[in-house]
Amino acid sequence: MSDTCATGSLENIDQIRAQAPALHALGVCATCILRSAQVPLGPAYFGTTDSIHQALHLPPPPPPSPPSLSTPVPCPICLDTLSAAIHSQITTAYIAECFDSPTLCITVEFPKSIYIRQRSLAIHTGRAPVDIKDTVKYVLGHRFHQQTDNRVRIENETGEVRVEVGFKHEETAMEHQFLVDREGSGIKTKTFRKKGVYHTTGDSKTAILDELDNCDDAVIREKFASPPPAIKLPVELDSLNFKRPSLFIGGRYLKLERNISQTPFVIDGRRVTELSVSEVIGEPIQKLVRCDAYNLVGSGREDADVRMLGDGRPFYLECINPRIKSIAPEAVSEIENQLRETQCPVQVRRLQIIQAADTSIIKEGEEHKTKHYCALVWFARPLDEATLCEINRLGEAPLVLQQKTPLRVLHRRAPLTREKTLVGLQVAHIEGHFYRVRIESEAGTYIKEF
């Protein structure tokens, strides 16, 4: 970056140049010198260390040391959270995921010590630096833009992929302790042991920032330091997550054979059914959209030993954190064709991408619809005509049932008593002990038990 590019928009360049050597002598990085001078976020922050040093008339940084020699001292203000090296780790990891999203938003979590050091710098210079979080997001966003050849843009809070960056710095991890220990401190910590590891709560970032606001400059000078002391090691990435809203694919499924569960049927670590609808449909879709996981939601469910014929049962598949969302309808339909051509016992129809708002239709249907059953029933003794008429008369009016959770579904449902309504019941004699029973019931009624 040339002198003009770095400083052309700055009216107080001479003042910045006068202050820069003292900060540079403390080991403050080029970007934090700009922050300390309250340079507004803009093109000046996009320069290399060399170009910023040149613009501020500072000596150039030393050449990179061989691995066998000592590395440059990290910035004591940002702890090197603004360094190109750590930003490169983040952008490289993102590019490797191959998201097809055109927009990003960035969130950052810092070590607690960074806020204390930022306050310490403000005391030393007499002015508050530009916020560290805003600066990291701004500079990192620019590097994303460069590294992806301008394919993505940064949109605060609205970018489709959320880049969550967490930094840690063990060397300064306890620098906030003076705030906890000082008389009248509002930070109340509690230490407890869990699974052999000691944890401390109460010293959250919010608590520390509140205490810093209530702490005089003199206390920080006495109990901490101003300017901040040097550090030996830069920050490390503590966490790096890329999160994207789910993609939803809906349709209708059919089960042409019995002993196929809707979702994997596992009890006490043992698989009960070999196939599940969710795996048959979900695995090829997962490969197509490259999602972390998937979740099938049906409009109700049938038992594993029951087929699903006719038009099929409505369902949607939630694809969690998909890398690919720009999918041609033909690619989705091809999954239907593959299942049909391989004569899979699970078939799908009308497979298509749907909107998140459309998923409520499936859940509403599950909760509010009524279901019709027809069963062949063998009675221990034939019913006389009067009994049959009485049953059908009672079956004309709704019948409220108090149903306990059956043993067969206790592995997935709580042992509760649920109120369900039998809307209609009709029994017709076929021959001998055999009768045809037609039932219309509220969704969720356990028909086998009834």
Side-chain angles (χ1 to χ4, degrees), residues 255 258-280 294 301-306 406-413 448:
K255 283 168 43 181
R258 302 182 192 277
N259 297 317
I260 301 174
S261 55
Q262 189 182 77
T263 53
F265 192 176
V266 179
I267 299 179
D268 296 331
R270 182 179 64 85
R271 182 128 189 179
V272 179
T273 59
E274 183 178 348
L275 284 180
S276 74
V277 174
S278 68
E279 290 168 307
V280 170
Y294 56 83
R301 68 168 67 216
E302 69 289 325
D303 289 334
D305 60 351
V306 174
L407 292 175
R408 62 187 172 89
V409 295
L410 275 176
H411 66 282
R412 60 179 175 85
R413 299 209 74 183
K448 285 182 178 180

Side-chain angles (χ1 to χ4, degrees), residues 107-159:
T107 66
V108 187
E109 285 295 325
F110 293 102
K112 299 165 187 175
S113 59
I114 211 164
Y115 300 102
I116 299 171
R117 287 172 170 268
Q118 185 163 261
R119 172 70 181 279
S120 173
L121 176 66
I123 295 170
H124 177 67
T125 62
R127 57 187 176 275
V130 175
D131 184 71
I132 181 65
K133 179 171 287 190
D134 291 342
T135 309
V136 169
K137 291 167 66 173
Y138 186 73
V139 174
L140 179 57
H142 175 72
R143 286 175 173 149
F144 265 113
H145 198 56
Q146 287 184 315
Q147 293 293 321
T148 58
D149 297 325
N150 302 330
R151 291 195 303 273
V152 302
R153 63 183 183 273
I154 308 302
E155 296 184 358
N156 291 334
E157 307 302 329
T158 59

Side-chain angles (χ1 to χ4, degrees), residues 286-392:
Q286 185 176 30
K287 291 179 182 178
L288 179 65
V289 305
R290 297 182 54 240
C291 58
D292 288 346
Y294 56 83
N295 179 34
L296 184 138
V297 178
S299 182
R301 68 168 67 216
E302 69 289 325
D303 289 334
D305 60 351
V306 174
R307 292 180 296 170
M308 171 52 61
L309 305 176
D311 289 335
R313 184 182 295 279
F315 77 95
Y316 69 83
L317 194 81
E318 179 186 8
C319 304
I320 300 169
N321 201 25
R323 275 58 172 178
I324 309 297
K325 274 194 171 183
S326 301
I327 306 168
E330 296 79 14
V332 178
S333 300
E334 182 58 27
I335 294 173
E336 287 188 44
N337 299 332
Q338 290 173 0
L339 294 177
R340 184 167 54 251
E341 290 169 1
T342 58
Q343 298 183 335
C344 181
V346 176
Q347 298 288 312
V348 288
R349 295 178 177 175
R350 307 176 196 173
L351 202 61
Q352 58 193 287
I353 295 174
I354 62 175
Q355 301 302 312
D358 299 329
T359 61
S360 61
I361 299 172
I362 300 293
K363 300 303 292 183
E364 287 171 4
E366 179 182 356
E367 296 170 1
H368 302 300
K369 69 185 178 186
T370 60
K371 303 171 77 172
H372 296 260
Y373 298 86
C374 180
L376 177 66
V377 180
W378 182 89
F379 283 76
R381 63 178 178 82
L383 305 178
D384 56 49
E385 190 65 25
T387 302
L388 190 60
C389 289
E390 179 65 12
I391 291 174
N392 285 328

Side-chain angles (χ1 to χ4, degrees), residues 39-56:
V39 175
L41 295 177
Y45 284 85
F46 299 154
T48 63
T49 298
D50 281 340
S51 59
I52 295 175
H53 277 205
Q54 181 182 357
L56 299 181

Side-chain angles (χ1 to χ4, degrees), residues 41-304:
L41 295 177
Y45 284 85
F46 299 154
T48 63
T49 298
D50 281 340
S51 59
I52 295 175
H53 277 205
Q54 181 182 357
L56 299 181
H57 296 172
L58 294 172
S65 302
S68 59
L69 301 179
S70 60
T71 56
V73 177
C75 174
I77 309 303
C78 71
L79 310 180
D80 270 11
T81 55
L82 283 162
S83 74
I86 202 162
H87 288 190
S88 180
Q89 294 181 47
I90 298 167
T91 55
T92 300
Y94 175 80
I95 292 169
E97 294 290 333
C98 297
F99 284 94
D100 65 351
S101 170
T103 60
L104 302 177
C105 68
I106 301 172
T107 66
V108 187
E109 285 295 325
F110 293 102
K112 299 165 187 175
S113 59
I114 211 164
Y115 300 102
I116 299 171
R117 287 172 170 268
Q118 185 163 261
R119 172 70 181 279
S120 173
L121 176 66
I123 295 170
H124 177 67
T125 62
R127 57 187 176 275
V130 175
D131 184 71
I132 181 65
K133 179 171 287 190
D134 291 342
T135 309
V136 169
K137 291 167 66 173
Y138 186 73
V139 174
L140 179 57
H142 175 72
R143 286 175 173 149
F144 265 113
H145 198 56
Q146 287 184 315
Q147 293 293 321
T148 58
D149 297 325
N150 302 330
R151 291 195 303 273
V152 302
R153 63 183 183 273
I154 308 302
E155 296 184 358
N156 291 334
E157 307 302 329
T158 59
E160 190 180 28
V161 176
R162 187 180 183 91
V163 180
E164 298 180 346
V165 183
F167 296 108
K168 68 176 180 180
H169 195 243
E170 297 296 336
E171 185 181 347
T172 63
M174 297 306 295
E175 284 190 345
H176 64 282
Q177 190 62 40
F178 79 95
L179 294 172
V180 178
D181 296 338
R182 80 187 193 95
E183 186 177 354
S185 173
I187 303 176
K188 307 300 179 184
T189 60
K190 180 180 179 182
T191 301
F192 63 94
R193 183 177 178 180
K194 184 177 181 180
K195 295 182 179 180
V197 179
Y198 286 94
H199 302 270
T200 300
T201 60
D203 56 348
S204 65
K205 181 190 79 172
T206 301
I208 288 170
L209 289 176
D210 288 343
E211 193 63 24
L212 271 175
D213 287 341
N214 296 324
C215 194
D216 293 337
D217 292 351
V219 174
I220 295 175
R221 285 195 188 95
E222 178 186 355
K223 300 295 185 180
F224 180 66
S226 182
I231 57 173
K232 298 178 181 178
L233 299 172
V235 293
E236 301 175 58
L237 280 177
D238 186 36
S239 60
L240 180 59
N241 299 304
F242 308 118
K243 296 182 179 179
R244 191 182 199 180
S246 294
L247 174 70
F248 297 93
I249 296 179
R252 289 174 174 267
Y253 74 78
L254 293 87
K255 283 168 43 181
L256 306 183
E257 297 178 5
R258 302 182 192 277
N259 297 317
I260 301 174
S261 55
Q262 189 182 77
T263 53
F265 192 176
V266 179
I267 299 179
D268 296 331
R270 182 179 64 85
R271 182 128 189 179
V272 179
T273 59
E274 183 178 348
L275 284 180
S276 74
V277 174
S278 68
E279 290 168 307
V280 170
I281 302 172
E283 288 183 1
I285 291 179
Q286 185 176 30
K287 291 179 182 178
L288 179 65
V289 305
R290 297 182 54 240
C291 58
D292 288 346
Y294 56 83
N295 179 34
L296 184 138
V297 178
S299 182
R301 68 168 67 216
E302 69 289 325
D303 289 334

